[in-house]
Each structure stands twice: as C-alpha cells, then as structure tokens.
Amino acid sequence: MKILAIDTSCDETAAAITDGHRVLSNVIYSQVLLHKKWGGVVPSIAKRAHEERIDFVVNEAFRKVGNKNFCSLQNIDAIAVTQGPGLAVALEVGIKKAKELAIKYQKKLIAVNHLEGHIYSAFVQNSQGNPKRDFKFPYLALIISGGHTEFVIFKSHIKYEIIGQTLDDAAGEALDKAAKLLGLGYPGGPVLERLAKEVGNEDFHHFPRPMLKSNDLNFSFSGLKTSFYYFLKKNPNQTSEVRLLASSFQEAVFDTLIKKTEKAIKQTGINNLIISGGVVANMRLKKLMRDLVKKYQGEVLFPSYKYLTGDNAAMIGVVAGFKAEKDLFVKNIDELDRIPRWSL
Ligand code: KG4
Ligand code: ZN
C-alpha cells in the first residue's frame, strides 16, 4: 500500500512516500535557521514557512521515488497526515494540503498521531526492507522530544497506554532552555552533547534530579531549569566553565530519565524498550539506556535511522499503513481538524 505522508507538526515541513514498513522517499525541509535567532520556534514564522514549502516538499517526495517505481498522486493508495499533537497553526497547513489532495485525487485519508509516529520510528525500513525487526509486544516506549517526555505501553498495533509523562517541560525543552541560558543558541541538545563529551560527560555540579523520590512515572524538569538559572545568577563568572555546566545539566536530565525508566521497567515488568524522539540522537543517552536494559536482560530499540529521531513524515506513513489494515480511515474528510493537544 503506497502512501503519501505529510507532517507539519512543528518546525519541519516533511513529506514521504511509504509502502508498508518501507520508505521509498523522505523529504524534510527544516526551519531551524529561521527560528534560530529567536531562540525557539515562532508560530507565525513556522506557519508561513510551511505554506511556502509544502508543495515543493510533496513534489520532491514523488520525484525522489524515481522512475523505477513510477509513483504519482494518481497511483498512490492513500494520503496520511499528522493531526496532532503540535503547533496548531503549523498542523493546519499539512492538514489543509492533505485534504485538498485527497479530494482532488479521490484518495482515502488517514489521520495519524505524531507520537505514534515516534513510537513506530523504531520499525521504519529503508527501500530495501532493512532493518528487519519483528514486533514483540508489549513494549515499554519512552518518547523524548522537544515537546514530549512520555512513557507508553505499546500493547499491540495502534494500541497504547500512557503510564507517565512530563508535568511541565519536556526533556528536550529543558536542554534547549539550559543552552539558551548559556548563550549557546537553538536547538540546544546537540550543542550540550558536544560540550559534555569534551569533559567526559561528568557531573560536576550535581543539579537536582526532580521527581525521583515519587513512585509515579511522571517527570518535571522546570525545577531543574530554575535551579540552573539561579546557579548561573549567583555564579556569573562560572560561564567561563560552560562545558562543565553543560555536562552537569545534561547528566541531571539523563540521570532522571534513566532512573525513571528503571522504575518503569520494575513496575511494568517489561524489559523490551523503544526509546525515540529528537533527544535520542544523543549518543550519551543511548549508551546509558543500553547499559540499563542490559542490567534487566532486555532489549532496546531506537529509531532505525538517524533521520527518524527528529520529526519526519516517513514514520507517519508507516503508522498509516497499520491504520489502513484496521480500516482506520478518516470518515468525513471535510470534518478533519487539527488536535494540538491530542493524547495517544
Ligand atoms: O523530536 P524532535 O525533533 O521534535 C519534537 O517533536 O519536539 O525533538 C527536538 C528536540 C530538541 O529539544 C533538541 O534540542 C533535541 O531534540 N535534540 C537533542 C539532540 N538532537 C536534538 N537533544 C540531545 N542531544 C542531541 N544530540
Ligand atoms: Zn516529534
């Protein structure tokens, strides 16, 4: 089943053509440079950039499939689009385009939750069908991105149960804010990773690990951010030691993620993990997660290719394939609307 998938949930304009688990083409037009100077995503700029780029990105997705697998809007089987969660004005652009094309070419429409995309990103294959990963339900999934930090039990296809989430900032958001306080620009995660590595990923300052005492599986990173802010205020000349601060902050966030994940493994008895979302681009976090899972004789899957860690439409197309098998198409195209706070 060939699907055109579109995701405009935040600051990447993305389209992909998928066939089952396989990605035939994937195009991501990042807006990072547009938002960089504002230190974060500006909704009005995101909306305009999506509108300006969406046609190009969709056309490019078809062009990249190439002549061998001749593919056009006429001969695909369905169109998939991210309905939420995300930035309302950004989601709107992708949904409008998907509806327009579905009506014009008389295609079925599949609405996908962006977070299920992140979960399925561990099973996305290249055009050759690699890697081959069988589903071994249930999984304990942890999505760690700029907007979300959530534990989900992935029970079977398209069946999820949220068992913990952040009460305020997401882990990626916390990293971004700390980097901003250090004057390191946006997005902060990759810069902190590089600086932390230079000083051996050590924890020099022992910033607080929020919520570790509580038995639930929720996160809260705003207290850590506040304590970091006051530390910088009280110690203004510490900024010369930016690498030590970056490393200590990153360790505080990762230590919290690891300890909560350990709690989640113990509470659910599931040692079969999926860790996905933008923050797992981080090699330090991957190593810590691998070590943790080894301790419980489990397995951990990460997004199968690096481009699948951040936002992309390939993962949306793969989810849509499973939804199509369950006949989960949009019933009334005219009524399809964005759901900015859509929970799994
Ligand atoms: O999944 P994603 O691309 O977008 C959302 O859906 O939010 O995640 C973006 C987040 C940002 O907070 C960014 O700083 C973080 O992922 N990130 C990283 C790294 N690369 C991106 N965090 C830590 N280390 C990285 N290498
Ligand atoms: Zn995302």
PDB file of all heavy atoms in Angstrom, residues 122-123 132-142 261 265 269-275 286 289-302:
ATOM      1  N   ALA A 122      10.952   3.153  15.271  1.00  0.00           N
ATOM      2  CA  ALA A 122      11.911   2.062  15.506  1.00  0.00           C
ATOM      3  C   ALA A 122      11.717   0.920  14.500  1.00  0.00           C
ATOM      4  O   ALA A 122      12.550   0.018  14.431  1.00  0.00           O
ATOM      5  CB  ALA A 122      11.755   1.545  16.930  1.00  0.00           C
ATOM      6  N   PHE A 123      10.621   0.934  13.762  1.00  0.00           N
ATOM      7  CA  PHE A 123      10.323  -0.175  12.837  1.00  0.00           C
ATOM      8  C   PHE A 123      10.326   0.259  11.374  1.00  0.00           C
ATOM      9  O   PHE A 123       9.972  -0.507  10.489  1.00  0.00           O
ATOM     10  CB  PHE A 123       8.957  -0.786  13.195  1.00  0.00           C
ATOM     11  CG  PHE A 123       8.929  -1.316  14.597  1.00  0.00           C
ATOM     12  CD1 PHE A 123       8.441  -0.526  15.636  1.00  0.00           C
ATOM     13  CD2 PHE A 123       9.437  -2.571  14.890  1.00  0.00           C
ATOM     14  CE1 PHE A 123       8.440  -0.986  16.932  1.00  0.00           C
ATOM     15  CE2 PHE A 123       9.436  -3.037  16.193  1.00  0.00           C
ATOM     16  CZ  PHE A 123       8.943  -2.254  17.222  1.00  0.00           C
ATOM     17  N   LYS A 132      15.320  -5.529   9.446  1.00  0.00           N
ATOM     18  CA  LYS A 132      14.144  -6.382   9.645  1.00  0.00           C
ATOM     19  C   LYS A 132      13.939  -6.566  11.145  1.00  0.00           C
ATOM     20  O   LYS A 132      14.770  -7.173  11.800  1.00  0.00           O
ATOM     21  CB  LYS A 132      14.362  -7.736   8.966  1.00  0.00           C
ATOM     22  CG  LYS A 132      14.376  -7.600   7.464  1.00  0.00           C
ATOM     23  CD  LYS A 132      14.720  -8.885   6.759  1.00  0.00           C
ATOM     24  CE  LYS A 132      14.671  -8.710   5.247  1.00  0.00           C
ATOM     25  NZ  LYS A 132      15.537  -7.641   4.735  1.00  0.00           N
ATOM     26  N   ARG A 133      12.882  -6.000  11.659  1.00  0.00           N
ATOM     27  CA  ARG A 133      12.606  -6.125  13.095  1.00  0.00           C
ATOM     28  C   ARG A 133      11.182  -6.630  13.271  1.00  0.00           C
ATOM     29  O   ARG A 133      10.249  -6.003  12.788  1.00  0.00           O
ATOM     30  CB  ARG A 133      12.727  -4.751  13.775  1.00  0.00           C
ATOM     31  CG  ARG A 133      14.156  -4.255  13.872  1.00  0.00           C
ATOM     32  CD  ARG A 133      14.205  -2.838  14.426  1.00  0.00           C
ATOM     33  NE  ARG A 133      15.590  -2.445  14.671  1.00  0.00           N
ATOM     34  CZ  ARG A 133      15.964  -1.216  14.999  1.00  0.00           C
ATOM     35  NH1 ARG A 133      15.064  -0.242  15.126  1.00  0.00           N
ATOM     36  NH2 ARG A 133      17.240  -0.920  15.210  1.00  0.00           N
ATOM     37  N   ASP A 134      11.056  -7.752  13.972  1.00  0.00           N
ATOM     38  CA  ASP A 134       9.704  -8.247  14.231  1.00  0.00           C
ATOM     39  C   ASP A 134       9.132  -7.531  15.439  1.00  0.00           C
ATOM     40  O   ASP A 134       9.866  -7.103  16.316  1.00  0.00           O
ATOM     41  CB  ASP A 134       9.757  -9.749  14.528  1.00  0.00           C
ATOM     42  CG  ASP A 134      10.164 -10.529  13.286  1.00  0.00           C
ATOM     43  OD1 ASP A 134       9.852 -10.048  12.175  1.00  0.00           O
ATOM     44  OD2 ASP A 134      10.820 -11.579  13.440  1.00  0.00           O
ATOM     45  N   PHE A 135       7.839  -7.441  15.489  1.00  0.00           N
ATOM     46  CA  PHE A 135       7.188  -6.846  16.658  1.00  0.00           C
ATOM     47  C   PHE A 135       7.108  -7.901  17.763  1.00  0.00           C
ATOM     48  O   PHE A 135       6.677  -9.026  17.516  1.00  0.00           O
ATOM     49  CB  PHE A 135       5.786  -6.356  16.299  1.00  0.00           C
ATOM     50  CG  PHE A 135       5.797  -5.102  15.471  1.00  0.00           C
ATOM     51  CD1 PHE A 135       5.869  -5.161  14.080  1.00  0.00           C
ATOM     52  CD2 PHE A 135       5.758  -3.858  16.082  1.00  0.00           C
ATOM     53  CE1 PHE A 135       5.896  -4.005  13.318  1.00  0.00           C
ATOM     54  CE2 PHE A 135       5.787  -2.695  15.324  1.00  0.00           C
ATOM     55  CZ  PHE A 135       5.854  -2.759  13.943  1.00  0.00           C
ATOM     56  N   LYS A 136       7.568  -7.511  18.958  1.00  0.00           N
ATOM     57  CA  LYS A 136       7.475  -8.428  20.101  1.00  0.00           C
ATOM     58  C   LYS A 136       6.736  -7.710  21.215  1.00  0.00           C
ATOM     59  O   LYS A 136       7.350  -7.192  22.141  1.00  0.00           O
ATOM     60  CB  LYS A 136       8.882  -8.806  20.591  1.00  0.00           C
ATOM     61  CG  LYS A 136       9.715  -9.583  19.574  1.00  0.00           C
ATOM     62  CD  LYS A 136      11.076  -9.914  20.208  1.00  0.00           C
ATOM     63  CE  LYS A 136      12.132 -10.137  19.153  1.00  0.00           C
ATOM     64  NZ  LYS A 136      13.499  -9.954  19.694  1.00  0.00           N
ATOM     65  N   PHE A 137       5.436  -7.611  21.088  1.00  0.00           N
ATOM     66  CA  PHE A 137       4.638  -6.875  22.081  1.00  0.00           C
ATOM     67  C   PHE A 137       4.637  -7.592  23.415  1.00  0.00           C
ATOM     68  O   PHE A 137       4.750  -8.818  23.436  1.00  0.00           O
ATOM     69  CB  PHE A 137       3.191  -6.737  21.571  1.00  0.00           C
ATOM     70  CG  PHE A 137       3.071  -5.906  20.336  1.00  0.00           C
ATOM     71  CD1 PHE A 137       2.718  -6.483  19.109  1.00  0.00           C
ATOM     72  CD2 PHE A 137       3.301  -4.536  20.375  1.00  0.00           C
ATOM     73  CE1 PHE A 137       2.606  -5.710  17.960  1.00  0.00           C
ATOM     74  CE2 PHE A 137       3.177  -3.759  19.225  1.00  0.00           C
ATOM     75  CZ  PHE A 137       2.831  -4.352  18.017  1.00  0.00           C
ATOM     76  N   PRO A 138       4.461  -6.901  24.548  1.00  0.00           N
ATOM     77  CA  PRO A 138       4.324  -5.453  24.644  1.00  0.00           C
ATOM     78  C   PRO A 138       5.689  -4.773  24.756  1.00  0.00           C
ATOM     79  O   PRO A 138       6.662  -5.391  25.176  1.00  0.00           O
ATOM     80  CB  PRO A 138       3.560  -5.284  25.961  1.00  0.00           C
ATOM     81  CG  PRO A 138       4.023  -6.440  26.804  1.00  0.00           C
ATOM     82  CD  PRO A 138       4.297  -7.569  25.853  1.00  0.00           C
ATOM     83  N   TYR A 139       5.724  -3.502  24.391  1.00  0.00           N
ATOM     84  CA  TYR A 139       6.926  -2.686  24.563  1.00  0.00           C
ATOM     85  C   TYR A 139       6.665  -1.607  25.609  1.00  0.00           C
ATOM     86  O   TYR A 139       5.549  -1.101  25.720  1.00  0.00           O
ATOM     87  CB  TYR A 139       7.286  -1.957  23.264  1.00  0.00           C
ATOM     88  CG  TYR A 139       7.766  -2.854  22.172  1.00  0.00           C
ATOM     89  CD1 TYR A 139       6.863  -3.348  21.226  1.00  0.00           C
ATOM     90  CD2 TYR A 139       9.107  -3.199  22.064  1.00  0.00           C
ATOM     91  CE1 TYR A 139       7.298  -4.172  20.195  1.00  0.00           C
ATOM     92  CE2 TYR A 139       9.542  -4.027  21.032  1.00  0.00           C
ATOM     93  CZ  TYR A 139       8.639  -4.511  20.105  1.00  0.00           C
ATOM     94  OH  TYR A 139       9.068  -5.311  19.093  1.00  0.00           O
ATOM     95  N   LEU A 140       7.736  -1.255  26.289  1.00  0.00           N
ATOM     96  CA  LEU A 140       7.709  -0.047  27.106  1.00  0.00           C
ATOM     97  C   LEU A 140       8.384   1.017  26.234  1.00  0.00           C
ATOM     98  O   LEU A 140       9.572   0.898  25.923  1.00  0.00           O
ATOM     99  CB  LEU A 140       8.507  -0.289  28.392  1.00  0.00           C
ATOM    100  CG  LEU A 140       8.764   0.944  29.264  1.00  0.00           C
ATOM    101  CD1 LEU A 140       7.460   1.529  29.782  1.00  0.00           C
ATOM    102  CD2 LEU A 140       9.664   0.561  30.455  1.00  0.00           C
ATOM    103  N   ALA A 141       7.596   2.011  25.814  1.00  0.00           N
ATOM    104  CA  ALA A 141       8.154   3.047  24.933  1.00  0.00           C
ATOM    105  C   ALA A 141       8.354   4.334  25.715  1.00  0.00           C
ATOM    106  O   ALA A 141       7.543   4.686  26.574  1.00  0.00           O
ATOM    107  CB  ALA A 141       7.209   3.294  23.759  1.00  0.00           C
ATOM    108  N   LEU A 142       9.462   5.008  25.442  1.00  0.00           N
ATOM    109  CA  LEU A 142       9.701   6.320  26.036  1.00  0.00           C
ATOM    110  C   LEU A 142       9.983   7.289  24.887  1.00  0.00           C
ATOM    111  O   LEU A 142      10.936   7.105  24.131  1.00  0.00           O
ATOM    112  CB  LEU A 142      10.888   6.265  27.011  1.00  0.00           C
ATOM    113  CG  LEU A 142      11.342   7.611  27.601  1.00  0.00           C
ATOM    114  CD1 LEU A 142      10.224   8.308  28.369  1.00  0.00           C
ATOM    115  CD2 LEU A 142      12.547   7.423  28.533  1.00  0.00           C
ATOM    116  N   THR A 261      13.139   5.365  34.023  1.00  0.00           N
ATOM    117  CA  THR A 261      12.959   4.222  33.113  1.00  0.00           C
ATOM    118  C   THR A 261      13.172   2.915  33.887  1.00  0.00           C
ATOM    119  O   THR A 261      12.444   1.941  33.699  1.00  0.00           O
ATOM    120  CB  THR A 261      13.938   4.310  31.910  1.00  0.00           C
ATOM    121  OG1 THR A 261      13.754   5.572  31.271  1.00  0.00           O
ATOM    122  CG2 THR A 261      13.686   3.202  30.906  1.00  0.00           C
ATOM    123  N   ILE A 265      10.509  -0.077  34.228  1.00  0.00           N
ATOM    124  CA  ILE A 265      10.782  -1.493  33.923  1.00  0.00           C
ATOM    125  C   ILE A 265      10.325  -2.356  35.103  1.00  0.00           C
ATOM    126  O   ILE A 265       9.658  -3.371  34.940  1.00  0.00           O
ATOM    127  CB  ILE A 265      12.290  -1.726  33.637  1.00  0.00           C
ATOM    128  CG1 ILE A 265      12.718  -1.014  32.352  1.00  0.00           C
ATOM    129  CG2 ILE A 265      12.607  -3.221  33.546  1.00  0.00           C
ATOM    130  CD1 ILE A 265      14.228  -1.054  32.081  1.00  0.00           C
ATOM    131  N   GLY A 269       7.258  -4.660  34.552  1.00  0.00           N
ATOM    132  CA  GLY A 269       7.823  -5.972  34.253  1.00  0.00           C
ATOM    133  C   GLY A 269       8.187  -6.107  32.771  1.00  0.00           C
ATOM    134  O   GLY A 269       8.467  -7.203  32.295  1.00  0.00           O
ATOM    135  N   ILE A 270       8.175  -4.987  32.044  1.00  0.00           N
ATOM    136  CA  ILE A 270       8.516  -5.050  30.610  1.00  0.00           C
ATOM    137  C   ILE A 270       9.970  -4.595  30.421  1.00  0.00           C
ATOM    138  O   ILE A 270      10.320  -3.474  30.795  1.00  0.00           O
ATOM    139  CB  ILE A 270       7.577  -4.149  29.769  1.00  0.00           C
ATOM    140  CG1 ILE A 270       6.107  -4.534  30.005  1.00  0.00           C
ATOM    141  CG2 ILE A 270       7.926  -4.255  28.282  1.00  0.00           C
ATOM    142  CD1 ILE A 270       5.112  -3.593  29.347  1.00  0.00           C
ATOM    143  N   ASN A 271      10.791  -5.483  29.849  1.00  0.00           N
ATOM    144  CA  ASN A 271      12.200  -5.113  29.633  1.00  0.00           C
ATOM    145  C   ASN A 271      12.524  -4.969  28.142  1.00  0.00           C
ATOM    146  O   ASN A 271      13.670  -5.004  27.728  1.00  0.00           O
ATOM    147  CB  ASN A 271      13.137  -6.120  30.294  1.00  0.00           C
ATOM    148  CG  ASN A 271      13.013  -7.501  29.680  1.00  0.00           C
ATOM    149  OD1 ASN A 271      12.183  -7.711  28.792  1.00  0.00           O
ATOM    150  ND2 ASN A 271      13.819  -8.435  30.139  1.00  0.00           N
ATOM    151  N   ASN A 272      11.465  -4.813  27.369  1.00  0.00           N
ATOM    152  CA  ASN A 272      11.571  -4.695  25.918  1.00  0.00           C
ATOM    153  C   ASN A 272      11.227  -3.237  25.588  1.00  0.00           C
ATOM    154  O   ASN A 272      10.066  -2.841  25.664  1.00  0.00           O
ATOM    155  CB  ASN A 272      10.506  -5.650  25.366  1.00  0.00           C
ATOM    156  CG  ASN A 272      10.788  -6.071  23.971  1.00  0.00           C
ATOM    157  OD1 ASN A 272      11.867  -5.835  23.451  1.00  0.00           O
ATOM    158  ND2 ASN A 272       9.790  -6.676  23.345  1.00  0.00           N
ATOM    159  N   LEU A 273      12.265  -2.447  25.282  1.00  0.00           N
ATOM    160  CA  LEU A 273      12.049  -0.993  25.227  1.00  0.00           C
ATOM    161  C   LEU A 273      12.135  -0.398  23.823  1.00  0.00           C
ATOM    162  O   LEU A 273      12.862  -0.903  22.967  1.00  0.00           O
ATOM    163  CB  LEU A 273      13.098  -0.283  26.110  1.00  0.00           C
ATOM    164  CG  LEU A 273      12.712  -0.061  27.578  1.00  0.00           C
ATOM    165  CD1 LEU A 273      12.580  -1.375  28.314  1.00  0.00           C
ATOM    166  CD2 LEU A 273      13.743   0.815  28.275  1.00  0.00           C
ATOM    167  N   ILE A 274      11.417   0.703  23.639  1.00  0.00           N
ATOM    168  CA  ILE A 274      11.587   1.541  22.448  1.00  0.00           C
ATOM    169  C   ILE A 274      11.862   2.947  22.984  1.00  0.00           C
ATOM    170  O   ILE A 274      11.088   3.460  23.798  1.00  0.00           O
ATOM    171  CB  ILE A 274      10.298   1.607  21.599  1.00  0.00           C
ATOM    172  CG1 ILE A 274       9.947   0.234  21.034  1.00  0.00           C
ATOM    173  CG2 ILE A 274      10.446   2.630  20.467  1.00  0.00           C
ATOM    174  CD1 ILE A 274       8.575   0.185  20.365  1.00  0.00           C
ATOM    175  N   ILE A 275      12.976   3.541  22.578  1.00  0.00           N
ATOM    176  CA  ILE A 275      13.261   4.911  23.004  1.00  0.00           C
ATOM    177  C   ILE A 275      13.371   5.755  21.735  1.00  0.00           C
ATOM    178  O   ILE A 275      14.199   5.462  20.864  1.00  0.00           O
ATOM    179  CB  ILE A 275      14.590   5.018  23.783  1.00  0.00           C
ATOM    180  CG1 ILE A 275      14.750   3.869  24.776  1.00  0.00           C
ATOM    181  CG2 ILE A 275      14.720   6.386  24.449  1.00  0.00           C
ATOM    182  CD1 ILE A 275      14.237   4.075  26.137  1.00  0.00           C
ATOM    183  N   LYS A 286      21.944   7.210  24.583  1.00  0.00           N
ATOM    184  CA  LYS A 286      21.797   5.854  24.032  1.00  0.00           C
ATOM    185  C   LYS A 286      22.623   4.858  24.832  1.00  0.00           C
ATOM    186  O   LYS A 286      22.166   3.769  25.147  1.00  0.00           O
ATOM    187  CB  LYS A 286      22.266   5.826  22.579  1.00  0.00           C
ATOM    188  CG  LYS A 286      21.210   6.222  21.588  1.00  0.00           C
ATOM    189  CD  LYS A 286      21.755   5.958  20.204  1.00  0.00           C
ATOM    190  CE  LYS A 286      20.676   6.036  19.178  1.00  0.00           C
ATOM    191  NZ  LYS A 286      21.194   6.046  17.820  1.00  0.00           N
ATOM    192  N   MET A 289      21.037   4.149  28.179  1.00  0.00           N
ATOM    193  CA  MET A 289      19.843   3.303  28.035  1.00  0.00           C
ATOM    194  C   MET A 289      20.237   1.853  27.733  1.00  0.00           C
ATOM    195  O   MET A 289      19.639   0.919  28.265  1.00  0.00           O
ATOM    196  CB  MET A 289      18.935   3.846  26.919  1.00  0.00           C
ATOM    197  CG  MET A 289      18.147   5.066  27.336  1.00  0.00           C
ATOM    198  SD  MET A 289      16.892   4.672  28.596  1.00  0.00           S
ATOM    199  CE  MET A 289      16.227   6.317  28.916  1.00  0.00           C
ATOM    200  N   ARG A 290      21.252   1.689  26.868  1.00  0.00           N
ATOM    201  CA  ARG A 290      21.708   0.318  26.560  1.00  0.00           C
ATOM    202  C   ARG A 290      22.206  -0.378  27.824  1.00  0.00           C
ATOM    203  O   ARG A 290      21.899  -1.539  28.074  1.00  0.00           O
ATOM    204  CB  ARG A 290      22.846   0.353  25.538  1.00  0.00           C
ATOM    205  CG  ARG A 290      22.362   0.564  24.133  1.00  0.00           C
ATOM    206  CD  ARG A 290      23.433   0.135  23.113  1.00  0.00           C
ATOM    207  NE  ARG A 290      23.031   0.553  21.793  1.00  0.00           N
ATOM    208  CZ  ARG A 290      23.464   1.657  21.179  1.00  0.00           C
ATOM    209  NH1 ARG A 290      24.355   2.433  21.765  1.00  0.00           N
ATOM    210  NH2 ARG A 290      23.019   1.972  19.990  1.00  0.00           N
ATOM    211  N   ASP A 291      22.986   0.358  28.634  1.00  0.00           N
ATOM    212  CA  ASP A 291      23.518  -0.225  29.878  1.00  0.00           C
ATOM    213  C   ASP A 291      22.384  -0.615  30.823  1.00  0.00           C
ATOM    214  O   ASP A 291      22.409  -1.670  31.448  1.00  0.00           O
ATOM    215  CB  ASP A 291      24.445   0.774  30.589  1.00  0.00           C
ATOM    216  CG  ASP A 291      25.743   0.985  29.800  1.00  0.00           C
ATOM    217  OD1 ASP A 291      25.994   0.202  28.870  1.00  0.00           O
ATOM    218  OD2 ASP A 291      26.482   1.944  30.127  1.00  0.00           O
ATOM    219  N   LEU A 292      21.381   0.252  30.909  1.00  0.00           N
ATOM    220  CA  LEU A 292      20.260  -0.023  31.810  1.00  0.00           C
ATOM    221  C   LEU A 292      19.530  -1.301  31.394  1.00  0.00           C
ATOM    222  O   LEU A 292      19.237  -2.172  32.223  1.00  0.00           O
ATOM    223  CB  LEU A 292      19.281   1.167  31.800  1.00  0.00           C
ATOM    224  CG  LEU A 292      17.979   0.932  32.555  1.00  0.00           C
ATOM    225  CD1 LEU A 292      18.217   0.872  34.060  1.00  0.00           C
ATOM    226  CD2 LEU A 292      16.948   2.015  32.239  1.00  0.00           C
ATOM    227  N   VAL A 293      19.247  -1.390  30.110  1.00  0.00           N
ATOM    228  CA  VAL A 293      18.468  -2.524  29.624  1.00  0.00           C
ATOM    229  C   VAL A 293      19.245  -3.834  29.779  1.00  0.00           C
ATOM    230  O   VAL A 293      18.668  -4.884  30.088  1.00  0.00           O
ATOM    231  CB  VAL A 293      18.049  -2.240  28.161  1.00  0.00           C
ATOM    232  CG1 VAL A 293      17.572  -3.493  27.483  1.00  0.00           C
ATOM    233  CG2 VAL A 293      16.958  -1.178  28.140  1.00  0.00           C
ATOM    234  N   LYS A 294      20.557  -3.743  29.605  1.00  0.00           N
ATOM    235  CA  LYS A 294      21.400  -4.929  29.786  1.00  0.00           C
ATOM    236  C   LYS A 294      21.243  -5.477  31.209  1.00  0.00           C
ATOM    237  O   LYS A 294      21.159  -6.680  31.430  1.00  0.00           O
ATOM    238  CB  LYS A 294      22.867  -4.547  29.537  1.00  0.00           C
ATOM    239  CG  LYS A 294      23.688  -5.696  28.949  1.00  0.00           C
ATOM    240  CD  LYS A 294      25.133  -5.324  28.760  1.00  0.00           C
ATOM    241  CE  LYS A 294      25.408  -4.748  27.381  1.00  0.00           C
ATOM    242  NZ  LYS A 294      26.791  -4.205  27.306  1.00  0.00           N
ATOM    243  N   LYS A 295      21.184  -4.554  32.159  1.00  0.00           N
ATOM    244  CA  LYS A 295      21.035  -4.944  33.560  1.00  0.00           C
ATOM    245  C   LYS A 295      19.760  -5.766  33.783  1.00  0.00           C
ATOM    246  O   LYS A 295      19.684  -6.592  34.684  1.00  0.00           O
ATOM    247  CB  LYS A 295      20.974  -3.640  34.378  1.00  0.00           C
ATOM    248  CG  LYS A 295      21.106  -3.789  35.843  1.00  0.00           C
ATOM    249  CD  LYS A 295      21.316  -2.411  36.487  1.00  0.00           C
ATOM    250  CE  LYS A 295      20.596  -2.309  37.803  1.00  0.00           C
ATOM    251  NZ  LYS A 295      20.539  -0.937  38.312  1.00  0.00           N
ATOM    252  N   TYR A 296      18.745  -5.528  32.960  1.00  0.00           N
ATOM    253  CA  TYR A 296      17.476  -6.249  33.109  1.00  0.00           C
ATOM    254  C   TYR A 296      17.298  -7.305  32.015  1.00  0.00           C
ATOM    255  O   TYR A 296      16.182  -7.714  31.721  1.00  0.00           O
ATOM    256  CB  TYR A 296      16.305  -5.249  33.131  1.00  0.00           C
ATOM    257  CG  TYR A 296      16.310  -4.450  34.413  1.00  0.00           C
ATOM    258  CD1 TYR A 296      17.023  -3.257  34.502  1.00  0.00           C
ATOM    259  CD2 TYR A 296      15.655  -4.926  35.547  1.00  0.00           C
ATOM    260  CE1 TYR A 296      17.075  -2.545  35.688  1.00  0.00           C
ATOM    261  CE2 TYR A 296      15.696  -4.222  36.736  1.00  0.00           C
ATOM    262  CZ  TYR A 296      16.415  -3.034  36.803  1.00  0.00           C
ATOM    263  OH  TYR A 296      16.462  -2.348  37.985  1.00  0.00           O
ATOM    264  N   GLN A 297      18.405  -7.710  31.399  1.00  0.00           N
ATOM    265  CA  GLN A 297      18.397  -8.713  30.314  1.00  0.00           C
ATOM    266  C   GLN A 297      17.344  -8.410  29.249  1.00  0.00           C
ATOM    267  O   GLN A 297      16.688  -9.306  28.725  1.00  0.00           O
ATOM    268  CB  GLN A 297      18.138 -10.137  30.866  1.00  0.00           C
ATOM    269  CG  GLN A 297      19.298 -10.756  31.593  1.00  0.00           C
ATOM    270  CD  GLN A 297      19.214 -10.510  33.095  1.00  0.00           C
ATOM    271  OE1 GLN A 297      18.138 -10.576  33.664  1.00  0.00           O
ATOM    272  NE2 GLN A 297      20.326 -10.198  33.716  1.00  0.00           N
ATOM    273  N   GLY A 298      17.180  -7.121  28.983  1.00  0.00           N
ATOM    274  CA  GLY A 298      16.164  -6.747  27.999  1.00  0.00           C
ATOM    275  C   GLY A 298      16.762  -6.308  26.680  1.00  0.00           C
ATOM    276  O   GLY A 298      17.940  -6.556  26.401  1.00  0.00           O
ATOM    277  N   GLU A 299      15.921  -5.688  25.883  1.00  0.00           N
ATOM    278  CA  GLU A 299      16.357  -5.180  24.571  1.00  0.00           C
ATOM    279  C   GLU A 299      15.874  -3.761  24.425  1.00  0.00           C
ATOM    280  O   GLU A 299      14.819  -3.413  24.966  1.00  0.00           O
ATOM    281  CB  GLU A 299      15.681  -6.001  23.466  1.00  0.00           C
ATOM    282  CG  GLU A 299      16.488  -7.167  22.966  1.00  0.00           C
ATOM    283  CD  GLU A 299      15.769  -7.827  21.799  1.00  0.00           C
ATOM    284  OE1 GLU A 299      15.596  -7.168  20.761  1.00  0.00           O
ATOM    285  OE2 GLU A 299      15.363  -8.993  21.963  1.00  0.00           O
ATOM    286  N   VAL A 300      16.631  -2.957  23.701  1.00  0.00           N
ATOM    287  CA  VAL A 300      16.141  -1.599  23.440  1.00  0.00           C
ATOM    288  C   VAL A 300      16.259  -1.295  21.947  1.00  0.00           C
ATOM    289  O   VAL A 300      17.275  -1.587  21.319  1.00  0.00           O
ATOM    290  CB  VAL A 300      16.880  -0.541  24.302  1.00  0.00           C
ATOM    291  CG1 VAL A 300      18.380  -0.554  24.110  1.00  0.00           C
ATOM    292  CG2 VAL A 300      16.336   0.864  24.021  1.00  0.00           C
ATOM    293  N   LEU A 301      15.187  -0.763  21.404  1.00  0.00           N
ATOM    294  CA  LEU A 301      15.187  -0.334  20.007  1.00  0.00           C
ATOM    295  C   LEU A 301      15.181   1.187  19.968  1.00  0.00           C
ATOM    296  O   LEU A 301      14.446   1.828  20.718  1.00  0.00           O
ATOM    297  CB  LEU A 301      13.932  -0.835  19.283  1.00  0.00           C
ATOM    298  CG  LEU A 301      13.759  -2.338  19.132  1.00  0.00           C
ATOM    299  CD1 LEU A 301      12.434  -2.636  18.429  1.00  0.00           C
ATOM    300  CD2 LEU A 301      14.918  -2.934  18.333  1.00  0.00           C
ATOM    301  N   PHE A 302      15.999   1.741  19.080  1.00  0.00           N
ATOM    302  CA  PHE A 302      15.989   3.179  18.803  1.00  0.00           C
ATOM    303  C   PHE A 302      15.457   3.361  17.378  1.00  0.00           C
ATOM    304  O   PHE A 302      15.356   2.390  16.632  1.00  0.00           O
ATOM    305  CB  PHE A 302      17.416   3.739  18.913  1.00  0.00           C
ATOM    306  CG  PHE A 302      18.029   3.573  20.275  1.00  0.00           C
ATOM    307  CD1 PHE A 302      19.095   2.708  20.478  1.00  0.00           C
ATOM    308  CD2 PHE A 302      17.537   4.289  21.356  1.00  0.00           C
ATOM    309  CE1 PHE A 302      19.660   2.542  21.741  1.00  0.00           C
ATOM    310  CE2 PHE A 302      18.097   4.129  22.624  1.00  0.00           C
ATOM    311  CZ  PHE A 302      19.154   3.253  22.811  1.00  0.00           C
TER     312      PHE A 302
END
